[in-house]
Structures are given as C-alpha cells and as structure tokens.
C-alpha cells in the first residue's frame, strides 16, 4: 500500500467555532460589572488553595477571562519581559501546555522543567533551596508535584508568586476555577437576581481527588445558585470525604447529598462533573465501572457534562458530538482563566482593564 | 595534566561561509519568478504527505526559501504572536531544533514536547483528544511519531495546521522538500529550458524509509530534468518498493532503474542520496555494509552527495572536506525551506513577498 | 484533615532584598572604570577554560554584571533576535535555568536540550556533526557534558560561540567567574590601592572538582589581594592536585597552602568556599564528613561562605540566616555575570555600554 494523504485528510476549517461560540463569554462579560480593586488583591500572593478565592474575586477573574475569550488576539503583551518557571516535577503535558500557552499569549517568556528525573529535587535538593534558585531566575512559578507539601515548602522561601498546578491528591485550584467559569459561561443568568438554581452532580471521591476537592470548595461560595450538589461515588460519606470536609461545605451553605448511583441521578442534574481518576501518590486509583457516561445515559435535556481531562473509559466519545459536551469548551476556557489569573498575579492588570 | 584551552581552540571564524556560499541561493532566486497565489494554496491545509505538493507550489516554496537564505536577518518577525506546538513523541533533536529554529527566526514562540514518556499519549490518551487540546493552545503543530497513523488521527480533529515531521516508516515530506531544494540550489539552471538532465542515485529501500519514500514522490514531479533515477539497495524490486509505489513513480514519468551495486553506478551519477537507516517501529534496520561512501569512492567529478543526517558508517567523514559534500548545505537549507513552509501555512506570506 | 492554605502561607514580600541589597554592586560599579575594548576581546571566541580570562577582562565583565544587578529591568533587549542552543547533555536544572534566565532577560530566544537520552549523541552521533547542526540553528551554544572532550570537539566545528557549562571534572569557568564576582561585590575596596589582602579557604580537591579547578585558576590572577589561599581536603598534595596544577598557581604568584583540617583554619579565613561534590564521570565522589559547616563552626566575624550549590550535608541550613551566607547572593549574581558574558560573546556590548 502506498499511503497517500487525500484532499479531505489535509484540509480543515479554521473557523469551526468552539462548541458554543463566543456568544456565551460575551454574555458573561456583560453580566459582571468590572471591579478593578478585587483583582488587585491577587498581587503579591501565591495561589495554593481554592479556599483563597472569594466569590467577588472569582467573578472578576471570570469577567477578565471572558474578555480574553471574546477577543483572543487583543491584549497580547501585558506580560512582556516577564519570565515564567514552569516546573512540572510531576509531568503533565496538558496542564503544562495550558499554562504555557496562557503565558505566551500574554507575551511572556518561559523556562520549562518537564520532567523531575533530571532535577536536583530528584537528587535530594530541598524545596526551599530550589525556591531560592527560582527567586533569582524568574517572575512567577507554576508547580505540579505529587508531594502535597512541595508547594507549601517552596512558598515559604519564594519572593515571587507560585501557583499550585496540582499537589498530590490535595488541590488543583486553577482547574476548579476553569470548571466554575464554564458553568457561568454556559448560563450567565445564574448571576442575575431571578436565577433558577441548578442541580450539580459530581462523580468522584472528594477525599482522594484534587480536582473534586478544589471544585467543591469553590462551589461552596455559590450555594445560592445551587439547589443541590450530589456527590456520586461507590463509597460511604466516611471514606468519600476527608475529616471535616463535608461539614465545611455544609457550613458554607451548600446543600450536599451523597449518592452511589449515577444513572438514577442523571435525569435531574443540570451539570454533571465526572473524573474517574484519583491520584494516590504516583499510582492511579480508579473507581468502579458503574460510573460511566455515554450517549445512551439518561441525561436531562440541556444538561452539560464537565470533565477535567484527560479522560478514561468513564466518558465515552459518543458524547463528543452531542450538546452535552461542554468539556472541550471547559479545556478551552481554562487557558483564558489562567491568562486572567497570571495577569493579576504579575501585577499587570492595569494593562487589560477597561477603566483604570 | 592541567587541561588548558589553547588560543587556537577558543577562536573561530564566524564568516567561514556555507560550503558554497550564497551565490547559489541567489541564482535560484533569480531563476524562479514569484507567483504569490501558489503559496496561498498552502493556507488552511495540513502537510502530511509529499504527494500534496505540486511542482509549481514547490518552486515557489524554494524561491521563498532562497530569499530567506540570501538574507537570513531580514524578515525576522512575520510569525510574531504565533505559537508553535513542537510535539516530538518520537524524539529527534535534529529535526525538532530545525523546526524550532525556523519558527523562532520568524519571530514566533514555541512550546515543546521533547519526549513521549511524560505525555498523556503514553498513558493511553487518544490522538483525537490530544488534537482537541492542541486546538486550544497553539497556532500550528509539528508532529513526529513512530505510529504512522498518529498524524492522520490528529489532523481529523485539528482546526490548526499540522506538519508531519516523520510518521514511522511512511513519510517525512519537509525533509524531502529540503532535499529537492538542495539539488535546485546546486544547479538552478536545471529549471531553464535548455537544461541538461541529471542522473540521480538513491541508496535505500523506498518501501521502508520515510525520507526515501517522500523524496521519490517529489522527484516524480521533476521527471523532465532527471535522465534516470537509480534506486540502489540489496533487495529485489518486489521488497524494495511497496505495492504500487514503483508503478506510481513511472506513471508520473520518472525513469526508474533498480541496482544492487553502488560503486558501479557512482561514476555516472550527478547526485547521490544516501541514508542507511530504516525505521521499523522503534528499532533500526540497517542495510549491508556494501553501501558506503568515502573519499576513495569512484564519484563523478562535480557530483554531490546528499544525506538527511544523522549519519552512520555509510557516509565517511573523509568526504566532509571534499566538494562532494552538499549534505551540510542540505541541513542548512532545511531551516530556510521550513521557514518558507511555516510562513505560508500560518497565512503570513504577505509579510515576506516582494510584490503583493 | 482538610488542607487549607493559611493567609500567612500565601503571602510574600517581593521587596525582601537580596542578602546584602544592591549597595554592594553599586559600590563595585563605581570602583571599576569602564574599558569597553576589553570586552570586545570576547567577541568571536569560545569560553572553554578559566585560563582564557585576563584580570582586566574579568574586571570589565564584573563591572557590566554589577551594572545589570543594580538595575535588572534596564537593558532588556540587547539580544533581541538572537537564538541560544541550551544543550545540557549532562542534565542540570540549576545551571541550565541560570543561563536561560540570563539569555531571556536580555531579550533572546532559546531552544533547550534538557536530557541526553533522546539525542543523536546518545545514538552515537559525533560531536563534530552535532556542532555542524548547531551552526545552522542558533547564535550561541551552552554545553554541559560529562565527557571533558565534548566541548573541545564541538568547538572545532563551530562557527558560533560555545560556552563550557561544565565538562566532566575539568572546568566550569562561568561558575568561577560568579565566585570571584561575589568576592569583589562583597568587598569592592579590595580593588583599591590600600586594600588589606584577604585569606581564602577552599574546601575541596582541585584535581577532581571542576568548580574548584576553575576558581583557583581565576584567583591566581588576583594574588596581590590574597594573602594566602588554603586548600582544605583529606588528601596529600600529590592526589589533591593534578600534575603541574599547584606549580602553575604558585608561578602565577598565589600563596597556596594545603591543610587537612577545616575547623582549625576557619578562625583566620575571610572567605570560605565549600563544595563537597566531585564529579567522576556520572557518579559522585564525596569527601569525608569532617568537612562540614554549620552555625556552630568557628567562623571569623565578617567571614563569608561561598558554595556553588546544590548543597549536600556539608553546608547546614542553620547558616542560611546568618551574615556568613553569601552563597545565595552568589547564585543571584551568577545570572548577572552570565548576562554580561553572553552580551559580549554575541557582540552586543555596544547596546549596554555607558560610553561607546
């Protein structure tokens, strides 16, 4: 066989829009009123945990993200002269490139560590010493490490901001920001006074999954627009949640219920968040096969599916071409959310504000 | 012994020209008349196979490459603001840096994946999902993968252009473009009406070697200037060529002959292309020792040797200082050919044209 | 436990100065008179060995480094359009990022090789062929390789400058430049006529440690300001020094004494350089535990400690918060020294001079 690229295989349509175009971010942009000073609170601060973000700060971040998404070519140099250290001691192409794309799109330069094996950390150097080195070399650090303590240990020695891009099973705050951004982009009217609250299902184990943990913490600040949040897993509350985790969510006003049955919940859920992968140190712990979505699942009409990706068998490709697929929009939006956050953390917000 | 760098070991001459200077690209530039619209056909298209390039498009690409080579410092920002994803799932420093140098020289930014081991692909993520991710992150993808299907699978999901930088044993179209560019740079008069056709020898197995396969496909569009193309290997036609491969070349007008003897052919060859390495998945399959070139080989006066590099024992260093060495010029030219192609694929040709 | 980032853990003070602020580089800058022509001697030359640097050239490099350190935001684009090949065939995050930070801060672009395993070198390609490739791709090469000959073999084929960033156990000249820069930054008055000479202790094996070897060579040009240089190790002179090494230092005027006792020397030393790691091919050879510094060590008041980092148990963290800690300032200064050197090697000095 002589392999030949057919005309069809080599052409593409660059204008194929994102799943739901830019009408959505435009509406979100109109819905939130700009409050510059909220974003200034992000200056000179690390981003380690979802618990750091107030609702007001989140909304301003989402407004800025929506502004970037409505007009990706604009604001292409607010980070000119700024240097990012992209340190993925736990390798992750997807998250690394999402951050690096965001930084490059803002006009900054990058130094990458894509692999732990060749670093001083692997030879026993302390995180504090590595942080001292980073102080001399860059203007911001993005860190992923399978050790939950690494980001805390670096933060203590840093004089430049660090972002936690996943610390073991504990947190992944920027992923959670992207998740909430997607929900609000999908339905900006949730932020208006007469909004009808939604029901959200989260498939996963809050105790063991960093993306789920961070997401629940952020959602607890939006309890007024969430009628109920159903955590769906094969575990009882005792092992599904960490000590005090459920109580903290409920105290924040979130109406949380635990379920061990996915298909029974689906017909009543507006948003289904699924992520079958839990990180246990460097290994993966997968939930039972009971929790799978495909185009035969009894999804509510108009419901959207979110997934932090990469996916496993829990999310069937048959859903990709359905209107339930908002996970691609979610990945796309993550770059704009990160652009917004990075702009604030490096104190360049005044270069992208409408009014200063 | 106290090791000391001698004065001689630390100085160099930056002006030592390329093997044959820039008189050659200048002549090529003058020989080809600019036809802007040919290059515009490369917009919104992937580059997967050599079979995609018409003679006219190739000549315009070579003209633009020659323009870049004549004046490397000019046109240093046509890709400003553009972001390349350099994805070498099959590692290759040489090809990766050639593409990355071309992109940087045009003023663009880059995100690199230098190693498959740390990627989602290695963990079982689909090429389609990776392509969806790339859509959100960059403006162009360069892919090398040992799996011949990877580039096709990505192309189907991409809304940005992808370039095949080697897909298993199948194709390596940009290497072949650089090869033909070198031949025409060496002898631009081949493109004039009264040109004397040349005889080309290609040492290798077209069925198993991606560079040979791609080169022959491109050469089949220049049958008028090729008196004879001799394929030299230790195999009969049946195993040297893939099914239909020889027939397709002959149908295109190329006068192809198979030979199993190198030294006997050399005295009559104007161009000798050698490349002893065939990729069989991740292993290497090397041809017999019979096919070696050194400065004692009975090369025709004025003949040139091409090699895609890196070389093995088949190409002796004793040839490096002879006028037969055009393989270094070939590697140099490859950067300019890639600059030309990348400029067209990202729709920035109007920034480098003489007349628009 | 629900992990929460406390307010304290996410804030930092960006204005916390370097250990001794910028008064020191400012004083050094005032002490050295600009002599542009000295820096021009670095153009069109490789940097392979410490033996290449005259005292006058060093002082001008340090002056330029101090100028960069006094005003890090100024001079941010002298290398615009220049492309660095950062080739760490022996991996080193610390040194790689130090060079890459320096290059980026000057406005240049970079292509990185962070790992030998995926390169042609690992497959048997010659250094000469790799150098030919680099000629086509970049404007400058930084090389670290465990093979001491690699940098020499590349240099012979290069038409662009190469910097030795560590070649096996032989040399690491830019580290040594950073070391001497730190000493002069600490006490610029050493360069004035009425300076009181200092006593320097170097813990290590000059024969086996590249940083020590390079440092001693540089210090031999400052014998007038060094009352005595004490080499402290557990070996006799015969195995501590390479053949002829001690003699060369003494011939240059340096007053060298060997000692096998650290604590006994400390009370009389103004500068203590420690580095317990010797590179023996890819393995590490560590000196005895006798040579350790902590905050109980009998250090002279006002004495400073230098260490090229990363550290092992030989340098206790209890010293980090003492005024003896100049090793962090040393790491910080290394970026500015490299900025100065890179600017000169790429012939862009005229863009950063006060007077031209």
């Amino acid at each position: 066989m002589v392999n030949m690229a057919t005309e069809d295989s080599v052409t593409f349509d660059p204008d194929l829009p994102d799943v739901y175009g830019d009408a959505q971010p435009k509406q979100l942009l109109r819905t939130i009123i700009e409050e510059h000073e909220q974003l200034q609170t992000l200056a000179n601060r690390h981003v380690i945990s979802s618990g750091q973000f107030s609702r007001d700060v989140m909304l301003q971040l989402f407004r800025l993200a929506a502004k970037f998404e409505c007009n990706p070519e604009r604001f292409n140099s607010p980070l000119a002269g700024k240097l990012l250290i992209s340190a993925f001691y736990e390798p992750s192409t997807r998250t690394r490139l999402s951050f690096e794309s965001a930084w490059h799109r803002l006009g900054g330069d990058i130094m990458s560590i894509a692999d732990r094996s060749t670093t001083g950390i692997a030879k026993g150097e302390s995180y504090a010493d590595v942080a001292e080195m980073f102080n001399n070399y860059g203007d911001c650090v993005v860190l992923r490490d399978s050790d939950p303590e690494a980001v805390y240990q670096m933060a203590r020695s840093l004089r430049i901001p660090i972002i936690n891009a996943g610390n073991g099973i504990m947190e992944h705050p920027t992923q959670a920001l992207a998740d909430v951004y997607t929900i609000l982009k999908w339905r900006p009217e949730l932020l208006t006074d007469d909004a009808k609250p939604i029901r959200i299902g989260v498939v996963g184990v809050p105790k063991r999954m960093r993306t789920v943990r961070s997401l629940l913490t952020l959602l607890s600040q939006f309890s007024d627009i969430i009628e109920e949040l159903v955590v769906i897993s094969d575990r009882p509350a005792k092992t599904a949640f960490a000590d005090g985790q459920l109580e903290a969510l409920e105290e924040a006003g979130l109406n949380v219920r635990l379920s061990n049955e996915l298909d029974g919940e689906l017909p009543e859920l507006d948003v289904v968040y699924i992520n079958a992968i839990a990180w246990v140190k460097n290994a993966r712990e997968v939930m039972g096969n009971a929790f799978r979505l495909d185009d035969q699942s009894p999804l509510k009409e108009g419901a959207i599916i979110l997934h932090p990706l990469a996916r496993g068998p829990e999310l069937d490709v048959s859903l990709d071409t359905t209107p339930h697929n908002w996970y691609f929009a979610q990945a796309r939006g993550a770059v704009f959310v990160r652009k917004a956050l990075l702009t604030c953390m490096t104190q360049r917000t005044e270069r992208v504000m409408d009014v200063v």
Side-chain angles (χ1 to χ4, degrees), chain A:
Chain A
M1 176 219 53
V2 179
N3 191 298
M4 291 290 281
T6 60
E7 177 62 19
D8 192 52
S9 68
V10 300
T11 53
F12 63 91
D13 181 357
D15 297 323
L16 189 70
D18 189 25
V19 263
Y20 291 93
D22 66 358
Q24 310 282 138
K26 275 181 180 157
Q27 199 191 330
L28 182 60
L29 182 60
R30 279 190 302 266
T31 305
I32 304 169
I33 294 163
E34 185 175 88
E35 291 179 45
H36 189 193
E37 56 286 359
Q38 291 292 344
L39 295 179
Q40 287 173 318
T41 65
L42 292 164
N44 291 343
R45 291 174 70 86
H46 305 303
V47 168
I48 295 181
S49 165
S50 292
Q52 294 175 239
F53 292 93
S54 72
R55 177 177 174 136
D56 284 345
V57 166
M58 273 190 269
L59 291 181
Q60 292 304 311
L61 275 176
F62 298 153
R63 187 186 191 281
L64 182 53
K67 186 154 78 171
F68 285 140
E69 187 165 0
C70 291
N71 198 343
E73 307 283 316
R74 214 182 144 201
F75 308 115
N76 52 20
S77 62
L79 296 199
K82 293 281 187 186
L83 190 47
L84 176 70
I85 299 169
S86 173
F88 280 74
Y89 289 97
E90 174 185 301
S92 164
T93 304
R94 184 174 288 274
T95 305
R96 177 170 71 87
L97 266 55
S98 180
F99 272 106
E100 294 188 359
S101 178
W103 191 271
H104 272 309
R105 295 299 195 197
L106 293 164
D109 288 319
I110 299 175
M111 302 187 295
S112 281
I113 302 168
D115 185 358
R116 182 194 194 106
S117 65
T118 61
T119 66
I121 293 284
K123 296 176 201 155
E125 195 171 6
S126 75
Y127 288 109
D129 277 14
V130 172
E132 279 294 346
M133 165 173 75
F134 288 170
N135 281 330
N136 298 323
Y137 293 171
D139 300 303
C140 185
V141 179
V142 171
L143 176 73
R144 173 168 287 191
D145 200 298
S146 53
D147 178 353
E149 289 305 310
V151 68
Y152 289 96
Q153 290 177 29
M154 282 206 190
R156 272 196 291 276
S157 297
L158 282 171
R159 298 189 296 277
I160 56 175
I162 190 170
I163 302 176
N164 176 6
N167 64 328
I169 62 167
M170 293 310 294
E171 287 252 27
H172 190 0
T174 61
Q175 176 65 51
L177 287 171
D179 300 342
V180 180
Y181 173 65
T182 309
I183 295 171
L184 295 177
K185 191 171 70 174
W186 160 67
R187 199 167 282 184
E189 60 267 30
L190 284 170
L191 296 173
T192 56
D193 286 342
D194 52 347
K196 186 180 175 306
I198 55 171
R199 301 184 75 262
I200 301 179
V202 173
V203 186
V205 182
K207 181 184 181 174
R208 311 291 290 167
M209 294 175 175
R210 61 188 174 201
T211 54
V212 171
R213 182 191 304 271
S214 291
L215 175 59
L216 294 185
T217 303
L218 291 193
L219 289 179
S220 73
Q221 301 219 33
F222 291 92
S223 56
D224 57 318
I225 61 172
I226 300 171
E227 188 185 322
E228 189 180 45
L229 190 143
V230 188
V231 172
I232 303 163
S233 87
D234 55 0
R235 310 192 181 193
K238 205 174 165 169
T239 59
F241 289 95
D243 284 355
Q245 188 178 20
L246 177 58
E247 292 75 3
L249 296 171
E250 288 176 333
E251 204 165 296
L254 207 59
N255 185 17
V256 184
R257 179 166 59 82
L258 201 62
S259 167
N260 60 13
E261 212 263 332
L262 175 58
D263 282 3
E265 304 289 346
L266 285 180
E268 304 299 324
L269 295 175
D270 299 292
V271 174
V272 185
Y273 180 99
I274 187 164
N275 172 24
I277 295 157
W279 288 95
V280 182
K281 297 230 166 156
N282 282 313
R284 286 174 164 204
E285 182 177 295
V286 181
M287 296 210 306
N289 281 328
F291 305 104
R292 291 193 56 187
L293 293 174
D294 62 27
D295 62 356
Q296 300 305 308
S297 299
L299 287 153
K300 181 176 173 180
E301 192 182 333
I304 63 168
I305 301 170
L306 302 184
H307 191 299
L309 304 177
R311 65 174 142 192
E314 74 284 352
L315 180 62
D316 193 76
V317 294
S318 60
L319 284 160
D320 291 5
T321 50
T322 71
H324 302 300
N325 171 6
W326 271 69
Y327 37 92
F328 287 164
Q330 178 188 8
R332 174 174 157 81
V335 178
F336 299 107
V337 169
R338 290 183 172 121
K339 283 178 73 169
L341 184 64
L342 292 166
T343 302
C344 298
M345 293 177 70
T346 54
Q347 299 183 274
R348 294 283 171 95
T349 43
E350 79 284 356
R351 302 189 181 194
V352 297
M353 288 294 110
D354 294 338
V355 184
V356 183

